[in-house]
Amino acid sequence: MSKPNAAQARIDREAYVKAMIAGMPGVCYQIEQKYALDGYPPELVCVGLSAASEGNDPEQAVADHINSRDPDTDQMPVDEWSDES
């Protein structure tokens, strides 16, 4: 993706949040597609849109966010979810 227009990205980020709250998945999807963020969960879309609103690459921001997560603290291990104790 080419460098996003930060002012437009701020408008789109606000529209995305409002559409999420209003239950308008079609609007959300259009915004996700515009920034090549379709397929990501809303948390990661917001990371990308926030980066775009600062003029940064939204896809790279999502990748950096994913790579920076500590699996030991960000997620409960699957074996703790099991009823088989």
Side-chain angles (χ1 to χ4, degrees):
M1 169 176 205
S2 61
K3 188 171 181 175
N5 177 311
Q8 182 60 51
R10 284 189 289 276
I11 292 167
D12 290 338
R13 180 181 59 184
E14 185 175 330
Y16 183 80
V17 171
K18 288 180 180 181
M20 286 293 292
I21 292 168
M24 300 169 64
V27 173
C28 293
Y29 188 66
Q30 288 175 340
I31 295 169
E32 291 168 2
Q33 285 182 310
K34 183 176 180 179
Y35 293 89
L37 298 170
D38 49 319
Y40 289 112
E43 171 194 358
L44 294 179
V45 172
C46 289
V47 167
L49 290 176
S50 291
S53 72
E54 296 172 1
N56 298 319
D57 183 332
E59 293 175 277
Q60 186 61 53
V62 168
D64 291 346
H65 181 78
I66 290 169
N67 292 332
S68 72
R69 298 178 95 174
D70 181 354
D72 293 332
T73 59
D74 287 349
Q75 294 181 337
M76 188 169 47
V78 174
D79 60 345
E80 290 184 23
W81 297 345
S82 175
D83 290 336
E84 300 173 19
S85 297

